[in-house]
Amino acid sequence: MKIVINPRYEYLRDWIENIPFLFEKGGKILYEKRNTIKVFLLDNGLNINVKRFHKPRFFNRILYTFFIKSKAFRSYCYTLRIFEKGFDAAGAVAYMEMNEGGLLSDSYYISLQCHNVREIREYYFGPLVGNENLIDAFAQYSAALHDAGIYHMDYSPGNILISDDLTSGEYSFILVDVNRMKFMSVGPEKGCKNFARLFGNDDIYKRVGIVYSQSRKNVFDKEKAVRLILKYKNRFLRKKAQKAKLKRFFKA
């Protein structure tokens, strides 16, 4: 078993070392599909989020053991790197890797539970009217993220949290599910492609394209940005519809 703990949370070591047992017996389920996420309330009042990744198939166990960093490792390290670059993610507490027969089996990522947040999913269908400030703030945030060389490969409605500052009326954003990231130069087209899954409302996409293009360090044509964003959004929806059609066909 391998455990790496953020020095700030070393005082939680005894609890963290027992996570495989605790995960089976307790915690409140937040998500349960391929991976399982549970939240635990500790005696000191701290809310801890524990994500157990799906046990890989045999071939992938070999890959994750010898050639590829585990999802738990990446979640932990990428979160720290996001913070280093000045952006928010769910605070990294620790990660754990379990071995079975010399190969990776279960792995866990432990983070702080985010409070008083909501998913950007709430605005998937809009409307734009009345939400212009939020959409503008999100477009500016995305531009800053890309200018900093951060590219979330699963930039989706459930992986971007909104935190409202009720005092100032400003919005801030938190990235979650960060094991699929790239830290690289993000050009205009790559940046526009990143929005493909986020909204189903073209008015929002048009607003995002204009503000995003004007907010990048190397400002580029707003019409081009809108065109690219809509192109990749439509391409994503077509692929999604084709997959659903194939799934129905094989079920039939």
Side-chain angles (χ1 to χ4, degrees):
M1 179 171 70
K2 177 181 179 181
I3 301 175
V4 173
I5 300 176
N6 187 328
R8 293 181 59 186
Y9 302 100
E10 180 62 34
Y11 67 94
L12 296 176
R13 176 173 290 276
D14 288 345
W15 184 84
I16 291 170
E17 289 178 346
N18 284 295
I19 277 178
F21 172 78
L22 296 169
F23 199 87
E24 294 296 335
K25 301 296 182 180
K28 179 183 177 182
I29 295 174
L30 297 182
Y31 180 89
E32 189 173 29
K33 285 189 178 178
R34 183 175 178 82
N35 305 313
T36 302
I37 302 174
K38 288 187 174 183
V39 64
F40 294 82
L41 176 61
L42 305 192
D43 292 339
N44 62 4
L46 202 61
N47 279 286
I48 298 292
N49 194 311
V50 180
K51 182 174 185 177
R52 183 175 67 187
F53 291 95
H54 177 76
K55 184 176 180 178
R57 295 180 179 177
F58 179 74
F59 179 71
N60 286 337
R61 290 179 64 198
I62 296 173
L63 289 178
Y64 282 124
T65 302
F66 299 109
F67 303 105
I68 303 173
K69 299 298 184 182
S70 73
K71 292 180 180 180
F73 172 92
R74 284 180 280 156
S75 296
Y76 178 83
C77 293
Y78 290 172
T79 295
L80 295 179
R81 194 163 179 185
I82 290 167
F83 274 112
E84 287 173 359
K85 287 179 172 286
F87 297 88
D88 284 337
V93 175
Y95 76 92
M96 178 184 295
E97 297 173 345
M98 313 287 291
N99 282 344
E100 185 179 282
L103 299 176
L104 179 74
S105 55
D106 291 319
S107 60
Y108 300 83
Y109 172 56
I110 302 97
S111 62
L112 299 180
Q113 173 71 4
C114 298
H115 295 286
N116 302 317
V117 294
R118 51 207 170 94
E119 296 177 353
I120 205 165
R121 184 194 309 277
E122 292 183 18
Y123 300 91
Y124 183 82
F125 293 109
L128 171 62
V129 177
N131 294 310
E132 292 91 346
N133 290 341
L134 170 64
I135 298 304
D136 289 356
F138 174 66
Q140 292 162 0
Y141 163 79
S142 300
L145 205 66
H146 292 161
D147 281 334
I150 300 174
Y151 194 80
H152 197 319
M153 296 174 68
D154 193 6
Y155 209 47
S156 60
N159 289 340
I160 303 158
L161 306 181
I162 305 167
S163 178
D164 301 301
D165 187 328
L166 299 179
T167 303
S168 66
E170 295 181 351
Y171 302 98
S172 58
F173 302 90
I174 301 169
L175 292 176
V176 296
D177 200 6
V178 299
N179 73 86
R180 295 180 64 232
M181 304 282 295
K182 283 189 177 180
F183 297 90
M184 62 181 192
S185 176
V186 182
E189 182 150 355
K190 191 77 173 176
C192 289
K193 185 178 181 180
N194 211 195
F195 294 101
R197 301 173 58 183
L198 285 170
F199 303 106
N201 182 308
D202 283 1
D203 288 335
I204 287 182
Y205 268 129
K206 291 172 184 176
R207 181 91 176 201
V208 166
I210 292 170
V211 177
Y212 173 76
S213 63
Q214 295 172 338
S215 300
R216 291 295 304 264
K217 285 182 179 177
N218 295 320
V219 176
F220 62 100
D221 183 70
K222 61 185 180 182
E223 282 80 12
K224 176 184 178 181
V226 171
R227 185 172 65 253
L228 286 171
I229 287 174
L230 291 176
K231 179 183 83 170
Y232 285 114
K233 183 268 290 188
N234 291 329
R235 181 180 295 179
F236 168 74
L237 291 178
R238 283 196 302 271
K239 288 183 178 179
K240 185 177 179 181
Q242 289 169 356
K243 286 181 180 178
K245 187 176 179 180
L246 284 172
K247 191 174 181 180
R248 289 194 301 268
F249 173 79
F250 285 113
K251 276 188 176 181

